[in-house]
Amino acid sequence: MQGCVFCAIVTGDAPAAVVHETDELIAFLDARPISPGHSLVVPKRHAAGLGELDGATGERMFGLGHRLARAARAGALGADGVNLVLNDGRAAFQTVDHVHLHVIPRYAGDRRSLLRRIVRRKPRPSDDAASLLRGGLDAQAP
């Protein structure tokens, strides 16, 4: 869809630190991460919200989110926990009108800093989190 930043990432017209990609989905680091390794799982076919997303694609989104969460915990990122968050609609704090699943690695003692980051999310330079997550995905049994 024209004007959608996630569609531009899918077509390669906008930059992203891609973590994983299939024919149907793409996962990349959030441009304004809440924590190291904060990723988004996005369907390649535009759907503004859950009402426009078919169930099978939604299942695969959460499947990839689950794999990324496992990679964040068991891999080199060493997360102590993970939040999987999908905001559906403006009232639920959805800021990009293309359905996406946040995979947010969490670390012991990060509650206070996490709340500050949510309120004041800023772009950060890409770090090695994408390669660390890819390594964690590769280490998982298929």
Side-chain angles (χ1 to χ4, degrees):
M1 169 172 256
Q2 190 173 14
C4 174
V5 66
F6 292 167
C7 287
I9 289 170
V10 168
T11 61
D13 294 328
V18 175
V19 175
H20 188 75
E21 188 171 4
T22 68
D23 290 341
E24 189 175 28
L25 303 171
I26 187 167
F28 50 89
L29 294 181
D30 192 300
R32 298 180 324 178
I34 291 174
S35 67
H38 177 176
S39 304
L40 303 176
V41 178
V42 177
K44 288 183 174 181
R45 189 179 132 272
H46 185 84
L50 288 175
E52 296 178 15
L53 185 71
D54 67 274
T57 303
E59 288 175 17
R60 286 188 279 282
M61 281 179 65
F62 274 88
L64 179 52
H66 176 237
R67 288 188 61 217
L68 284 167
R70 289 175 48 207
R73 290 193 70 161
L77 276 177
D80 298 310
V82 178
N83 288 119
L84 297 177
V85 179
L86 194 146
N87 304 323
D88 185 35
R90 294 283 179 213
F93 307 114
Q94 182 179 4
T95 58
V96 176
D97 290 328
H98 188 129
V99 68
H100 53 287
L101 174 66
H102 293 262
V103 181
I104 307 168
R106 299 292 305 276
Y107 301 89
D110 74 354
R111 181 174 286 175
R112 181 170 285 148
S113 64
L114 180 86
L115 292 174
R116 256 193 322 263
R117 288 181 189 139
I118 289 171
V119 171
R120 295 190 270 184
R121 289 179 67 191
K122 297 177 185 173
R124 290 191 224 166
S126 183
D127 50 24
D128 59 351
S131 63
L132 295 176
L133 284 170
R134 281 192 293 273
L137 285 172
D138 291 343
Q140 293 177 31

